[in-house]
Every structure is written in C-alpha cells, then in structure tokens.
C-alpha cells in the first residue's frame, strides 16, 4: 500500500507539534488546531485509499472531542492517537517479509492450526505413554489414532504435505493396531514418539515463519518414514489380547524387556476433562485487558487519594466512591484470574522426559504428580518449564541410583519422582522429590574447595553447603545426552526461578533422597503492601511477609558482639536491618525510639526492619523496574502509590541475605 | 526513515539515512540532537524516586501516567559535572531497543531547544578523535546557523555502559 509523501509529512508535523506544544508548558493548545490537522490527515488518507489510517485519524478526533480541552486526558488521547498513526506509517514502510513457503492460506488459519496441532501432540504423547505402561488400554490407542487422523486432515487442508504424509503413515499403523492387526511394541512406541517430535519441529518452523523470522523447513526424514512403514509389515499376530502378543514379539525380537513391574498405576492425579464451556481468546487481547485493569486500579487509587476529594464531604460521593473502589478491585481480580492456568499440563510434559531419560540412563523411574489442578499465572507456568526440566534431569542423572545399586540398598527397584504443587502462605510451592541418593555434603564441600568457592577450614551449616550447588561454575559432570538440547548448571535454574520472584530451597537426606522446593508468587502483578517511609522515600513491604509492627522502647534494641544489632521481640532476639543504611537514604531520625519496627519473615527467617514511619496499606500493581536496574538487590519492583509517587517494593529475602552490604552512597 | 534508493541515486546511504528531524537540547555548553522518532515525550523535571545500588548517572524512576520509567542524568553519563535542576531542566522520554523489545528511558537535560529538519548535506561525519571509541555513539555533527550540534545515536548511548570519557572527547 503506497501513500503520498504529504501524508507522511502531515503525520510527522502533527507529532512534532504535539511534542513542542507540551514543552511550551502552556498546556495543550486549542483543540481546533489538532482537529483541523487530523481532519486533513483523514481526508488525505481516504483519498489515498488508506482506509485504516483514515479511521484512526477519525477515532483520535472523536476522543479529543470527548475530552476536556487542555486536560491531561486530552493530551493523552492526542499522544496515543498520534503514536498509532506513526506506527501505521512504520509498518507500511517495511517491505513484506519474503516467505520461503508459499502458504496460500491466511496467517490466522495457520496460527489456529498451530495451536490445535500442539494440543493434539501434547494429548497424544500422554496417551502413548499410557499405552506404553498399559498395553491393554484400547481407549488410549483409539485416542492416539484420532489425534494423528485429525492432524493429517488439518495438515492436508492447509497443504502442509510433509506433515500430512507422516501423520498419514502413523495413522495407518495405529489403525492396524486398533484392529488387532499389529501389536504396539516398545520399538513402535519409540517410532510414534519420534514422529510426534518430527511434527513438533515442523510446528516450530511454521511458527517462526508466521513471525516473519528466518527458518528452514525440517528435511523429510526418510529413515523415520521407513521405520514407520516397517511397523506395518510386521506379521499380523493371532487375535490374542494385545498384552500377550506384545510380550511374545518382545521375546522374539530379543528387544529390551517390557517393564518388569506390573502395569504401573496411572499418575496420582489424572487430569480430569471437566467439560467447561470455554472460548479461545487471543492472548494479546487478554494481556491488554489485564494491563488496562491494572492501570484502572492505579488511576482509581490516585483519584481516591486526591486531597481535593477529601475536602468534599457529601456522603453520597463517598458511598459511590467506595462502590467504585470495590468494583475496580473485583475487575482486577477477575482479569488476573483469567491469566491463571493449572500446572497439570506442565507436569505431564515431564512424563515424556522421565520416560526418555530412564531409557537413556538405564534407570527405572516412576513419575507421580500431585496438585495438577493448582493454578499459576500463565507466564510463570511457561517460564517454569525449563527449570523444571533441568531439575528432573538432574534428579535422574545424579540423584537416582541404577537399579542394581538400589537393590543393593534394599530400595524398591522403581525409583520414585514426585512432582507436587500446593498452596502455602500466599505462595504456590512446587516440589520435586526423588528417593535417590540425596546430596552428599562431603562431596559438595570437596568440590567447592576444589573450585575455590570456599576455603578448606570453613565451617558451614548444612543449608549453606547445599546452596553451593547453585554457584555458577559448580556444574556437575557432563550431562547425559539431553532431550531438550540444553544443559547447564543449577545456577541458571535458580536465576530462572528468581526472575519469577520465586525461591528455591533444598531438603535432602543422604541415602534417602532430595526435595527441591520452588516457592512462587501467585501472580506476577499485584500484592497487598504495607507502605513505609524512610526519609523522603517510600518503600513497600509485601503484606504477607509482615508479622507485626511496633515502636521500640529503650530496651528493645541491643548490639550483640559480632552479630550486629538485634531486637528483643517477645522474648526472641531478631536481627535488625536499618533500611536507611542499607539504601543510603537520609532518614528522618536515626534514633530507634523515634522509628517503627516492622517484623518481617522471609525464607523462614524473621528479622526487623527499622523505618521512620508507617504510611498505610495499599494494594499495588507491581511494575518491573526493567533491565536498567537488573543489578539492584533488595528491590523487587516499583509501584505507583496513591499520591502518584513511585514506591520501591522490597525484596525481603535478598535484603536479609545481603544484610552486610550497606549502601555506599 | 528508511531511504529508498534507486540505481540513479548516487547519494551516500549514510547521509541519507541520518537526515530528518532532530530534537536539540543543551548539556553544559554543548548542543546535542536526537532523532525525533526516538522521542516519546518531553516533560519538565519532576520528582524522581531513587533506586539503590545504581551507578551515579542513573537517577531512579518516575511515574509516567501509570508506567514506571527509569531516568538517567545525561550530564553525569557523559562525565560532565552535575548541575542543579532549574526551571528549564527537562526529561526527554526516549524509546530505544532493550533486550526484548522497545523500552522507555528518560534522560535529564539542561534544556530543550528546538526541532530541526536536517538534510543529509547538513550533516557531517564525526571527526576522527583518534583511538577514542566514543565516536561510534555519534551519528554525526550538524552545523546550523553557525552553531554545531552533536547528533547522538541515542540507542547506542543508552545501552553503553560507560561514556564518561565522551566528555573529554568533546572538549
């Protein structure tokens, strides 16, 4: 779509005028000027056939007319409208991405297909693993057949021939299987799973193409196709029950024995397919809605705290305001709830990994899951996938012993890996537990000394020793061929969890096993905060961590040799952190008697924060401070306070841990 | 503004790409310019919330209509002595590429001058200051009405770690 250069000129002039207009500090100049300019742009656009652009100009004009002239709302509307016009310009100028595939179908169809296809692949994988454990499960067999059948159909419709071809071949195998014309051997399971992997690679490639990113299509895997075809030519076995036949052919082929144990029980919590009515919503729209709900909370808070409003005393106004506050809060919560998804599917993905790894490592591991229905923010679940996989891999590589060793220790031959999710104190806790070797304190210490992380004579409590495995460079021996293609140390895992404002804890017993606990916030976006003041600054203490608050007396605070300041809180001595010292801020008073103590608990430790005053309670929308402040410790993010200022949200665990790092400023 | 070249245009690509509108502002005795397309908003200096453990030139964050935006002091970033904020002091909110997408960063400047429409011919390449790599942060120099404006590549400036020596280069 071409456009006359004057159109671009007009839009840019308008943008400039608006920027300069604000600088002049005279407030927004008379709206007539803007309206005239927008009108002009609109007609130019329509003349050039750029209807979309014309509509945008129209919409901006209307929003200006609706707002009070000279108000900040008007200014904001104007800016937003101009920004839209500008970005339209930029988009139009970009040459259309050269698509190597000539996809005759429109992108929306393709993205729908990708979504659906991924769901089918996830579901069929789970069912294939079920078949592997329980070869007599005909329901699962039918389900896998249907999945490939559907994939074949969809791919054909979109002219994705390679996908269609493979899906068709596998579908044929499964058709024969469900008609008892062939048996699903362990080798067959492998082939089917590999086919699913191949299809996934295709989906990833197509996704990149949709995003206009370079990507090369997966080459046709002739070997795989042959192996699929090879399954077909297996001699038809008598119509005996599939279980026996499978054992028979396994004995014949001398292949790896089917799991020696009786068919495993299904995972502790099979995902129930509750038939709820649901709609598919574009996640971009959903995110936008959640953002707007957040903005609304901020705006509503600022209105509520406006000193002008406090002067108005009519009860009706305040009643309505309360109503507004209530509704805003409800809306916020509802919007946030829409972002929550259950962890079940994430745990299911681990099932495949566990299966593959147990083959590769020659270990027998049973995966159990609990709490599949526990919900977490969508983004958190997505970001958890990698760390979770690393930990499962670690567990299986190093934690769990080979069957022979386990027998020698009189442990059950089948090792147990448990993935469990549950709520605890305003957080979601995800546990990864194995009944393997447990962490060997001595070995860790030896390795740490070798790497120069600690000195030979250091006496460290257990907790700190186990923490060493998270040190960068502490990677254990080279990982076995990994399924996902990535493999790094636990430090990457921890950083991933901390990015989500979560924590990792370790519980372990030598010889018995290890549990990793991932403690994660329920949502990334909102917390109840206690606003405190230190000098001119405002900080927010997450309310769920606050235990009590009080004004110290003469005998409350003591300085203990080599331990620093401590406070006597109902008979217990707790460490004291003077916030002003930590952040290098000028307090109103350094005298504890004129300050307030906030007792907070983080990471199962309690400590006291010394602040100037308590400002109040506020529900705040957490704003990430961004990459600029990546190195700042002790601050988890920022929030807009009622008076429009920015308050810094405290990261209590970090604060307490780095107690010794007082600010130099 | 991507330049569309045809075979008949021998104009140097670099100059063409740099032409366009620039917002000029002052820092100390120098006048600088950044491309208008990078400017999202200009506002007078306002209250900044300090964030601990940041380099000196990172002043903190501000509330920009509900968004938390970091603000840096460009004087300090360039190694100039800090100055008291006056009525003229402004925050220019720029939009630059971050690690994953565009981010907003505010820069504090002594004062904002005007918007200049610079043609390619008015922009000269940065003179060779020798070993100093700081020149890569400049798009070029423009001479307008007898005054020299130093055109900054704001993307690079804001992603560079240490530009304090830029000051010595400029003197």
């Amino acid at each position: 779509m071409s456009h006359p250069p004057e159109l671009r000129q007009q839009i840019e002039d308008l943008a400039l005028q608006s920027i300069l207009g604000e600088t002049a500090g005279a407030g927004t100049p008379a709206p007539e000027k803007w309206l005239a300019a927008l009108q002009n742009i609109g007609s130019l656009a329509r003349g050039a056939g750029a209807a979309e652009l014309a509509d945008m100009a129209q919409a901006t004009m209307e929003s200006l007319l609706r707002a009070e002239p000279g108000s900040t709302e008007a200014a904001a509307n104007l800016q937003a409208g101009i920004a839209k016009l500008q970005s339209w310009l930029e988009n139009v100028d970009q040459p259309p991405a050269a698509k190597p595939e000539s996809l005759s179908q429109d992108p929306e169809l393709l993205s729908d297909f990708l979504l659906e296809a991924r769901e089918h692949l996830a579901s069929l994988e789970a069912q294939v693993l079920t078949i592997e454990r329980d070869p007599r499960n005909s329901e699962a067999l039918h389900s896998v057949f249907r999945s490939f059948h559907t994939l074949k159909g969809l791919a054909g419709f979109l002219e994705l021939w390679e996908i269609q071809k493979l899906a068709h071949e596998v579908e044929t195998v499964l058709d024969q299987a469900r008609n008892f014309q062939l048996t699903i051997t362990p080798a067959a399971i492998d082939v089917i799973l590999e086919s699913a992997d191949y299809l996934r690679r295709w989906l990833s490639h197509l996704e990149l193409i949709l995003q206009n990113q370079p990507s090369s299509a997966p080459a046709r895997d002739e070997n795989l196709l042959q192996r699929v075809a090879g399954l077909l030519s297996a001699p038809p076995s008598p119509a005996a029950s599939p279980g026996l036949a499978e054992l028979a052919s396994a004995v014949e082929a001398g292949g790896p024995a089917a799991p020696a144990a009786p068919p495993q029980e299904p995972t502790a919590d099979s995902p129930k397919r509750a038939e709820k009515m649901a709609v598919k919503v574009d996640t971009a729209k959903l995110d936008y809605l959640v953002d707007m709900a957040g903005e609304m909370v901020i705006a509503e808070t600022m209105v509520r705290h406006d000193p002008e409003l406090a002067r108005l005393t009519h009860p009706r106004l305040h009643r309505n305001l309360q109503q507004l506050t209530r509704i805003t809060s409800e809306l916020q919560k509802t919007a946030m709830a829409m972002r929550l998804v259950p962890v079940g599917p994430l745990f299911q993905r681990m099932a495949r990994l566990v299966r593959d790894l147990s083959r590769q490592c020659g270990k027998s591991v049973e995966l159990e899951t609990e709490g599949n229905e526990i919900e977490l923010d969508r983004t958190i679940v997505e970001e958890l996938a990698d760390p979770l996989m690393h930990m499962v891999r670690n567990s299986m590589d190093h934690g769990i012993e080979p069957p022979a060793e386990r027998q020698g220790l009189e442990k059950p031959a089948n090792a147990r890996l448990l993935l469990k999710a549950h709520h605890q104190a305003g957080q979601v806790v995800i546990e990864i537990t194995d009944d393997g070797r447990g962490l060997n304190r001595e070995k860790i210490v030896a390795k740490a000394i070798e790497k120069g992380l600690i000195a030979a004579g250091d006496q460290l409590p257990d907790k700190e020793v186990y923490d060493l495995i998270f040190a960068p460079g502490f990677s254990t021996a080279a990982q076995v061929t990994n399924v996902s293609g990535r493999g790094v140390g636990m430090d990457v895992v921890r950083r991933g969890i901390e990015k989500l404002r979560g924590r990792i804890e370790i519980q372990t017993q030598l010889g018995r096993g290890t549990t990793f606990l991932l403690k994660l916030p329920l949502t990334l976006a909102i917390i109840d905060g206690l606003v405190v003041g230190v000098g001119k600054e405002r900080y927010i203490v997450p309310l769920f961590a606050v235990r009590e608050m009080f004004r110290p007396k003469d005998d409350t605070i003591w300085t203990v040799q080599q331990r620093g300041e401590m406070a006597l809180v109902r008979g217990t001595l707790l460490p004291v952190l003077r916030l002003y010292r930590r952040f290098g801020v000028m307090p109103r008073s350094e005298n504890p008697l004129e300050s307030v103590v906030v007792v907070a608990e983080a990471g199962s430790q309690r400590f006291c924060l010394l602040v100037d005053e308590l400002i109040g309670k506020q529900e705040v929308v957490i704003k990430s401070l961004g990459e600029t402040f990546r190195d700042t410790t002790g601050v988890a993010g920022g929030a807009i306070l009622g008076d429009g200022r920015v308050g810094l949200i405290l990261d209590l665990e970090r604060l307490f841990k780095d107690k010794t790092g007082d600010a130099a400023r | 503004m991507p330049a569309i070249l045809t075979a008949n245009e021998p104009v140097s690509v670099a100059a063409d790409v740099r032409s366009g509108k620039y917002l000029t502002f002052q820092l100390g005795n120098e006048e600088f310019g950044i491309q208008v397309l990078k400017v999202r908003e200009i506002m007078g200096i306002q209250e900044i919330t300090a964030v601990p453990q940041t380099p000196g030139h990172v002043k903190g964050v501000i509330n920009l209509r509900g968004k938390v935006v970091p603000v840096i002091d460009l004087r300090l970033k360039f190694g100039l002595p800090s100055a008291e904020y006056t009525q003229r002091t402004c925050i220019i909110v720029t939009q630059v590429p971050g690690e994953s997408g565009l981010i907003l960063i505010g820069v504090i400047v002594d004062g904002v001058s005007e918007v200049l429409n610079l043609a390619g011919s008015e922009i000269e390449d940065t003179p060779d200051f020798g070993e100093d790599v700081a020149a890569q942060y400049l798009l070029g120099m423009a001479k307008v009405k007898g005054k020299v404006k130093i055109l900054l590549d704001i993307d690079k400036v804001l992603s560079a770690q240490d530009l304090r020596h830029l000051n010595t280069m400029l003197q």
Side-chain angles (χ1 to χ4, degrees), chain A residues 8-9 12-13 16 19-20 22-23 72 76 79 83 86 90 93 295 298 302 536-539 582-583 623-625 627-635 638-640 644-648 661 665, chain B residues 1-2 21 23 36-37 39-42 47-56 58-72 90 97-100 103 105 112-115 117:
Chain A
R8 161 180 287 285
Q9 195 70 20
E12 289 190 355
D13 274 341
L16 269 167
I19 292 179
L20 281 182
E22 295 212 359
T23 322
T72 36
Q79 292 279 35
Q86 280 180 308
E90 270 172 48
D93 278 336
E295 300 290 326
I298 294 174
M302 289 182 64
K536 287 193 308 135
E537 305 298 329
R538 298 279 172 269
Y539 300 100
R582 180 71 164 77
F583 286 149
K623 301 277 176 180
S624 162
L625 291 181
E627 40 189 82
T628 319
F629 302 102
R630 214 192 343 224
D631 297 326
T632 306
T633 58
V635 174
I640 312 284
R645 301 174 53 187
V646 176
L648 297 179
R665 257 211 265 202
Chain B
M1 224 180 311
K21 296 203 166 101
L23 173 70
V36 148
L37 280 175
V39 175
R40 301 300 306 160
E41 200 160 327
I42 309 173
E47 182 161 5
I48 303 175
T49 302
V51 175
Q53 293 168 8
T54 49
V58 178
K59 286 314 216 187
V61 289
I62 55 171
N63 167 13
L64 181 65
R65 283 194 304 279
K67 278 213 244 297
V68 171
V69 173
V71 174
I72 71 159
C90 291
E99 280 189 7
S100 39
I103 56 174
I105 301 187
V112 164
S113 308
E114 59 183 330
V115 172
N117 197 349

Side-chain angles (χ1 to χ4, degrees), chain B residues 115-154:
Chain B
V115 172
L116 293 175
N117 197 349
L118 298 175
S121 50
E122 292 176 276
I123 305 176
E124 292 166 17
D125 286 329
T126 324
D128 183 12
F129 287 103
E131 290 295 308
D132 211 297
V133 294
Q136 66 177 271
Y137 302 107
L138 309 182
L139 289 176
M141 323 269 265
K143 203 148 176 204
V144 176
K145 299 179 229 164
K147 296 234 297 248
V148 170
K149 323 270 178 191
I150 305 165
L151 306 179
L152 297 173
D153 184 340
I154 196 70

